[in-house]
């Protein structure tokens, strides 16, 4: 079948997580039925005076934008009314044993079609297609079925096809191991109720079943289920205290665990496999109860809540001066950027780009240009991995692929003056889930800021020249479980671009076990220990340095011995540059001692001095070089995150390799929908269309300073794209950012006699 009219999507299935997101969106966003939703146009078109001056005719249409409200309404009507094989149930009548539409998003156009339109080789916009995920619950096993529907708006030629072309597994369907959220919570809680006498004795509390909401009561934390070698659906669960309203459950593990077999869809067939307490494994509830009843059964101290988990100030003696709120804004008196909200087009000081939103991956930038020349076709988040280590059954094998929870759907309203400067500008996000439109107000912020150090400075005998370091930021915050992930796209006056990741929130830790916990972290409270884990955050950067034919060059700084004409007979130790072309698809790590410059360049383009023009890729600010996964062969991770094995990868761009990951792989990690390892198959990458898949993140070893929350400046990393012979000189000199000060003798001149200052006047 020919799929050329459409392109691979970047949005993916939300899986069972979508059911949880529904709960969040009912309480944390403005939620509307799609059939009756209408926008207030003024809220979508509140342009600044500077924006109004930009001619709309000069702004190309945002062909990557998600489906509009009207497009979504038409699509849902089509799917429910036109005869098809989906056998859909209306939202109000749906249940875990019916088929219903879980989510709809745009299928973004393939690159060749997009560039034909964007570069004005064609006036025809690429056709609009949708990515539709159907929760299929009417069969013996619940599945998530993915379809491509288009072209839109629905017409006679519109069709519904299984979506397979960008899944290199060839699949369009994935199992849903948690199809009934109510049963898969209520049944484990009923098991906990059966041992309420035991938990009251050993933990000092009982499970919060029914409507109980005792902050000192017990809750259950669930590891993602998996299918074992016998085809059974298995999951480990951890008992935790509920915690105070600050929701500190991940700080309050109690050291009691239960392993469940939840194969099939009837809770009557589910069973308890093991209990684990005080480093002893029990093969049944009866065995656990019998051991508890025996004299000499050892009870470990409970992990209790208290002031130590509070995120509020707990000092009564704070000096008055420290209580004053600091200023949070320092933008220019007149905004120097353009934001065209309807097309999500942004320009600032030579940069320009479009933004696109996905409920799965958040914000992606398209057609990024500087001074009118394209640098990147696409730049955006792919996946966020956390891999834990520990001696208990949860920490010892826990891994999270956070796109499963919706890195865009969990972007909520930011707090002005705290998340972003006082005078930042905000954009709403919207997405369709279970035939309802969710609107998250002020979920993206944009602002110009001034660094606390100058962009450039120099002092001579007669003057001082110094320039302000202005930069522009697009910021989002995704709240995924216990972590808040802040992602910045930062633009600088010289054409540099920084992608920065920061994490905050409550850590996920372990019940403290003397002599064991120290192998995986630190004791940081009475019965609580930190857990070593890796954060690896994957991004896609589709480079187009002055066209689609690019090469990755490694410019290595190497020690050498050389003899020079001015020093005959004397060999000198020095260093030289050695240039090596990366010829085939591969994975690379950041070089030791930063002794290599990795540059994406166009061999067919040179600056005024004959040097190849390009952009250097390099680690940026933060805790050090961004991390890749520490250990390989994780049984729970399988092949779902092969991109995490190196710091970054270079591959040849293909429309069928548009994403490195997909949420639908969460339950089938051993045989994922997308196996990134298959991307790197030895193809030539010299003067080809290159994609760099790079990772941010860190090896997080939480310590006492991570209580109650991890701090963003201690859990951050970034990567820079920096012009490398791209210009003939520093382009920031073309902007009015600086000042030249001359005049009376300086303090330096007063100390040094004039005739010792040299001949320069």
């Amino acid at each position: 079948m020919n799929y050329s009219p459409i392109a691979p999507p970047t949005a993916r299935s939300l899986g069972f997580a979508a059911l949880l997101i529904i709960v969040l969106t009912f309480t944390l966003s403005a939620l509307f039925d799609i059939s009756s939703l209408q926008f207030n146009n003024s809220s979508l078109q509140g342009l600044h005076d500077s924006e109004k001056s930009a001619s709309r005719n000069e702004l190309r249409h945002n062909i990557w934008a998600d489906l509009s409200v009207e497009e979504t309404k038409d699509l849902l009507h089509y799917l429910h009314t036109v005869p098809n094989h989906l056998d859909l149930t209306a939202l109000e009548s749906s249940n875990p044993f019916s088929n219903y539409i879980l989510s709809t998003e745009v299928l973004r156009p393939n690159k060749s079609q997009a560039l034909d339109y964007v570069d004005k080789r064609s006036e025809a916009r690429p056709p609009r297609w949708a990515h539709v995920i159907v929760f299929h619950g009417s069969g013996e096993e619940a599945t998530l079925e993915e379809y491509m529907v288009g072209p839109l708006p629905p017409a006679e030629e519109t069709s519904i096809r299984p979506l397979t072309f960008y899944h290199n597994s060839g699949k369009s369907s994935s199992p849903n191991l948690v199809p009934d959220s109510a049963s898969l919570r209520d049944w484990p809680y009923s098991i906990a109720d059966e041992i309420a006498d035991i938990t009251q004795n050993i933990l000092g509390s009982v499970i919060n079943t029914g409507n109980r909401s005792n902050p000192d009561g017990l809750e259950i934390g669930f590891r993602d289920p998996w299918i074992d070698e016998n085809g059974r659906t298995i999951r480990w669960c951890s008992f935790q205290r509920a915690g105070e309203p600050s929701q500190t459950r991940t700080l309050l593990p109690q050291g009691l665990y239960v392993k469940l077999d939840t194969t099939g869809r009837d809770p009557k067939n589910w069973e308890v496999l093991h209990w684990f307490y005080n480093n002893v494994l029990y093969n049944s509830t009866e065995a656990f109860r019998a051991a508890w009843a025996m004299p000499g059964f050892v009870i470990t101290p409970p992990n209790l809540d208290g002031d130590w988990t509070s995120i509020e100030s707990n000092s009564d003696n704070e000096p008055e001066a420290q209580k004053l709120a600091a200023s949070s804004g320092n933008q220019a008196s007149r905004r120097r950027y353009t934001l065209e909200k309807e097309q999500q087009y942004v320009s600032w000081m030579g940069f320009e780009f479009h933004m696109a939103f996905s409920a799965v991956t958040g914000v992606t930038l398209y057609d990024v240009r500087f001074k009118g020349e394209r640098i990147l076709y696409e730049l955006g988040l792919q996946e966020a991995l956390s891999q834990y280590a520990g001696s208990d059954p949860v920490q010892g094998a826990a891994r999270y692929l956070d796109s499963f929870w919706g890195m865009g759907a969990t972007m909520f309203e930011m707090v002005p003056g705290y998340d972003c400067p006082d005078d930042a500008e905000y954009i709403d996000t919207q997405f369709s889930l279970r035939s309802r439109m969710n609107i998250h107000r002020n979920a993206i912020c944009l602002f110009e800021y001034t660094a606390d150090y100058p962009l450039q400075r120099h002092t001579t005998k007669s003057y001082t020249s110094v320039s302000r370091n202005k930069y522009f930021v697009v910021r989002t915050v995704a709240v995924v479980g216990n972590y808040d992930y802040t992602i910045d796209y930062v633009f600088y006056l010289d054409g540099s671009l920084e992608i920065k990741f920061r994490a905050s929130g409550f850590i996920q830790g372990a019940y403290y076990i003397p002599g064991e916990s120290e192998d995986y972290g630190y004791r940081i409270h009475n019965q609580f220990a930190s857990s070593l884990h890796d954060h690896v955050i994957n991004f896609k950067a589709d480079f187009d340095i002055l066209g689609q034919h690019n090469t990755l060059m490694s410019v290595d700084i190497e020690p050498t011995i050389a003899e020079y004409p001015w020093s005959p007979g004397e060999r000198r130790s020095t260093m030289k540059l050695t240039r090596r072309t990366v010829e085939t698809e591969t994975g690379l790590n950041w070089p030791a001692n930063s002794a290599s410059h990795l540059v994406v360049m166009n061999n067919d383009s040179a600056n005024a001095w004959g040097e190849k023009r390009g952009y250097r890729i390099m680690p940026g600010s933060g805790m050090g070089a961004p991390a890749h996964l520490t250990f390989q062969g994780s049984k729970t991770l399988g092949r779902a995150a092969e991109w995490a094995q190196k710091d970054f990868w270079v591959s040849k761009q293909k429309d069928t390799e548009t994403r490195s990951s997909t949420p639908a792989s969460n339950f089938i990690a051993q045989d994922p929908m997308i196996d990134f390892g298959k991307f790197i198959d030895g193809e030539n990458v010299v003067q080809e269309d290159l994609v760099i898949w790079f990772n941010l993140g860190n090896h997080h070893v939480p310590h006492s300073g991570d209580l109650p929350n991890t701090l963003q400046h201690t859990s951050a990393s970034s990567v820079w794209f920096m012009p490398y012979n791209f210009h003939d000189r520093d382009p920031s000199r073309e902007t009015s950012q600086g000042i030249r000060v001359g005049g009376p003798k300086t303090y330096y001149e007063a100390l040094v006699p004039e005739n010792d200052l040299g001949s320069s006047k």
Side-chain angles (χ1 to χ4, degrees):
M1 185 175 291
N2 181 9
Y3 291 132
S4 60
I6 53 87
T10 57
R12 293 296 184 269
S13 162
L14 296 181
F16 167 68
L19 301 178
L20 302 181
I21 293 172
I22 292 167
V23 177
L24 291 172
T25 51
F26 267 108
T27 57
L28 296 174
S29 67
L31 185 61
F32 301 94
D33 191 300
I34 194 73
S35 62
S36 60
L37 176 62
Q38 294 184 350
F39 283 106
N40 179 344
N41 288 333
S42 63
S43 67
L44 295 178
Q45 298 175 354
L47 304 180
H48 299 297
D49 292 339
S50 60
E51 296 171 51
K52 293 177 181 178
S53 64
S55 170
R56 290 178 181 265
N57 295 328
E58 296 175 359
L59 302 176
R60 302 296 284 180
H61 184 81
N62 189 342
I63 56 177
W64 306 279
D66 199 7
L67 301 177
S68 67
V69 177
E70 289 303 317
E71 285 178 312
T72 306
K73 288 170 63 176
D74 291 344
L75 172 63
L76 293 175
H77 182 266
Y78 170 80
L79 294 172
H80 279 282
T81 59
V82 174
N84 57 57
H85 63 283
L86 302 182
D87 190 25
L88 296 173
T89 299
L91 172 66
E92 59 273 12
S93 304
S94 64
N95 61 62
F97 294 90
S98 59
N99 303 335
Y100 58 85
I101 297 173
L102 185 60
S103 67
T104 58
E105 287 196 332
V106 74
L107 265 173
R108 292 173 182 166
N110 66 36
K111 185 176 180 179
S112 59
Q113 287 181 306
L115 291 184
D116 282 345
Y117 174 73
V118 171
D119 291 340
K120 302 182 181 180
R121 293 189 293 267
S122 171
E123 289 299 318
R125 295 175 188 170
R128 297 276 279 175
W129 284 68
H131 176 198
V132 177
I133 301 172
V134 173
F135 175 93
H136 192 276
S138 62
E140 183 176 344
E141 296 181 354
T143 59
L144 298 169
E145 306 290 334
E146 302 192 35
Y147 298 96
M148 46 193 288
V149 183
L152 303 178
E156 185 176 349
E157 64 271 21
T158 299
S159 62
I160 304 172
R161 309 175 190 175
L163 182 55
T164 59
F165 77 93
Y166 64 79
H167 292 151
N168 57 16
S169 64
K171 301 173 185 175
S172 63
S173 175
S174 59
N176 188 346
L177 302 185
V178 192
D180 182 353
S181 59
S183 295
L184 281 152
R185 180 188 186 279
D186 294 345
W187 185 78
Y189 275 60
S190 70
I191 297 301
D193 247 346
E194 293 176 5
I195 63 162
D197 54 338
I198 300 179
T199 62
Q200 183 64 58
N201 176 245
I202 66 175
L203 303 179
S205 191
V206 298
I207 196 74
N208 275 340
T209 54
N211 294 321
R212 287 205 298 265
S213 57
N214 178 11
D216 197 46
L218 302 177
E219 302 285 352
I220 293 180
F222 299 92
R223 234 183 74 190
D224 284 342
W226 73 95
I227 300 175
D228 69 6
E229 58 274 9
N230 298 315
R232 310 293 291 178
T233 301
I234 307 297
R235 66 188 328 186
W236 273 103
C237 307
S238 170
F239 281 70
Q240 305 166 332
R241 265 181 162 72
E244 296 296 332
S246 54
Q247 301 176 6
T248 56
R249 289 173 53 181
T250 59
L251 301 182
L252 298 170
Q254 299 301 306
L256 175 62
Y257 310 89
V258 60
K259 186 178 184 180
L260 307 176
D261 180 344
T262 57
T263 305
R265 308 188 66 184
D266 188 350
K268 294 179 182 178
N269 298 324
W270 298 347
E271 58 180 321
V272 173
L273 298 179
H274 299 290
W275 290 90
F276 187 74
Y277 178 72
N278 196 19
N279 223 24
V280 178
L281 184 68
Y282 301 96
N283 291 329
S284 66
T285 302
E286 292 74 19
F288 181 38
R289 180 173 289 280
W292 168 69
M294 292 289 291
F297 181 82
V298 177
I299 297 175
T300 59
N303 181 18
L304 300 177
D305 200 4
D307 289 343
W308 67 281
T309 68
S310 175
I311 57 177
E312 308 301 330
S313 172
N314 56 9
S315 173
D316 295 328
N317 301 315
E318 183 180 13
E320 287 299 320
Q322 294 183 17
K323 297 180 182 180
L324 299 176
S327 172
S328 64
N330 67 351
Q331 292 196 163
S333 58
R334 183 175 62 85
R335 290 179 178 170
R336 300 185 297 178
Y337 64 88
T338 295
L339 170 60
E340 214 292 341
K341 286 190 175 181
E342 185 175 351
Q343 298 301 329
Q344 302 234 323
Y345 166 85
V346 179
S347 66
W348 175 81
M349 305 300 282
F351 276 107
E352 55 184 324
F353 53 89
H354 279 94
M355 296 187 296
F357 173 79
S358 161
V360 174
T361 56
V363 171
T364 298
L365 309 184
Y366 282 96
D367 194 22
V368 181
R369 303 182 186 224
F370 185 67
K371 305 290 186 181
E373 296 179 304
R374 182 179 298 116
I375 303 165
L376 295 152
Y377 169 73
E378 178 184 355
L379 174 63
L381 174 72
Q382 301 293 296
E383 185 60 271
L385 163 68
S386 299
Q387 176 79 61
Y388 283 74
S391 61
D392 68 58
V394 172
Q395 302 298 90
R399 61 97 175 121
Y400 303 100
L401 295 167
D402 286 333
S403 72
F404 179 77
W405 306 98
M407 297 287 283
T410 56
M411 287 165 41
F412 300 108
E413 183 170 4
M414 290 191 277
V415 180
Y418 291 86
D419 284 316
C420 307
D422 290 316
D423 45 5
E425 185 154 13
Y426 296 86
I427 300 176
D428 302 338
T429 61
Q430 63 184 56
F431 57 94
S432 172
L433 190 64
R434 289 194 76 189
S435 301
R436 293 182 181 271
M437 184 61 70
N438 301 268
I439 305 174
H440 289 187
R441 304 295 186 192
N442 299 340
I444 304 169
C445 76
L446 307 92
F447 56 91
E448 186 182 61
Y449 213 68
T450 305
D452 60 355
Y453 61 95
L455 180 66
Q456 161 277 330
R457 77 171 323 282
H458 184 63
T459 297
T460 71
K461 174 185 174 182
S462 56
Y463 69 87
T464 293
S465 172
V466 62
S467 301
R468 290 193 184 98
N469 190 359
K470 293 283 189 179
Y471 56 86
F472 180 75
V473 181
V474 177
R475 175 173 294 167
T476 64
V477 179
V479 184
V480 186
N482 52 307
Y483 269 114
D484 294 44
Y485 295 133
T486 298
I487 294 174
D488 287 354
Y489 296 101
V490 189
F491 302 84
Y492 294 89
L493 292 167
D494 67 329
S496 292
L497 172 57
E498 182 182 15
I499 304 92
K500 189 152 192 169
F501 154 83
R502 300 180 180 91
S504 186
F506 292 113
I507 62 172
Q508 175 180 300
Y511 184 82
Y512 175 67
I513 302 174
E516 289 188 13
S517 295
E518 289 81 1
D519 288 340
Y520 304 98
Y522 297 95
R523 184 181 185 182
I524 54 179
H525 200 65
N526 295 336
Q527 295 304 133
F528 185 62
S530 66
S531 291
L532 166 67
H533 57 282
D534 283 349
H535 290 287
V536 188
I537 319 299
N538 189 241
F539 288 79
K540 176 184 180 181
D542 184 343
F543 276 92
D544 278 0
I545 304 295
L546 306 168
Q548 293 176 254
H549 300 294
N550 292 169
T551 296
L552 180 62
M553 180 73 70
S554 179
V555 182
D556 303 326
I557 304 169
E558 297 180 342
T560 189
I561 303 295
E563 184 174 336
Y564 301 99
W566 47 267
S567 183
E570 183 179 355
R571 294 171 60 83
R572 291 177 172 268
S573 294
T574 184
M575 55 187 173
K576 287 185 177 180
L577 295 181
T578 301
R579 296 166 176 84
R580 296 183 177 91
T581 298
V582 177
E583 296 184 348
T584 58
E585 295 176 318
T586 190
L588 298 167
N589 290 329
W590 300 117
N593 195 33
S594 300
S596 295
H597 292 185
L598 294 155
V599 185
V600 178
M601 60 179 55
N602 190 323
N603 289 341
D604 297 328
S605 178
N607 63 13
W609 323 118
E611 300 293 347
K612 302 285 195 310
R613 301 176 68 191
Y615 262 71
R616 180 184 174 188
I617 310 167
M618 56 185 289
S621 57
M623 295 178 66
H628 62 266
L629 200 60
T630 300
F631 65 95
Q632 301 181 11
S634 166
K635 186 175 181 180
T636 54
L637 188 58
R639 295 190 60 81
E642 292 295 286
W643 42 264
Q645 304 297 341
K646 297 284 187 179
D647 290 333
F648 69 96
W649 307 77
V650 56
S651 71
K652 183 178 178 179
Q653 190 276 337
K654 297 186 183 71
D655 290 336
T656 54
E657 295 179 355
T658 184
R659 284 287 315 278
S660 65
S661 181
T662 171
S665 296
N666 192 60
F667 293 142
I668 49 173
Q670 303 302 325
D671 184 21
M673 302 283 278
I674 294 176
D675 185 342
F676 180 80
K678 296 178 181 179
F679 286 21
I680 310 302
D681 52 6
E683 291 191 77
N684 174 65
V685 290
V686 178
Q687 285 302 96
E688 296 286 353
D689 193 352
L690 301 189
V691 177
I692 302 296
W693 312 86
F694 67 94
N695 294 321
L696 300 182
N698 56 71
H699 305 300
H700 193 183
V701 186
H703 54 85
S704 58
D706 285 89
L707 288 182
N709 277 180
T710 291
L711 304 178
Q712 291 205 13
H713 67 285
T714 65
S715 185
S717 68
S718 76
V719 161
W720 283 71
F721 302 153
M722 184 184 73
Y724 200 87
N725 289 320
F726 191 82
H727 310 286
D728 296 336
R729 69 191 296 265
D730 171 21
S732 73
R733 300 298 88 206
E734 300 169 9
T735 64
S736 299
Q737 308 299 324
I739 188 171
R740 175 169 169 154
V741 180
K745 287 186 177 181
T746 65
Y747 177 70
Y748 175 73
E749 289 174 309
L751 291 178
V752 182
E754 185 171 337
N755 59 358
D756 289 339
L757 289 174
S759 59
S760 177
K761 298 294 184 183

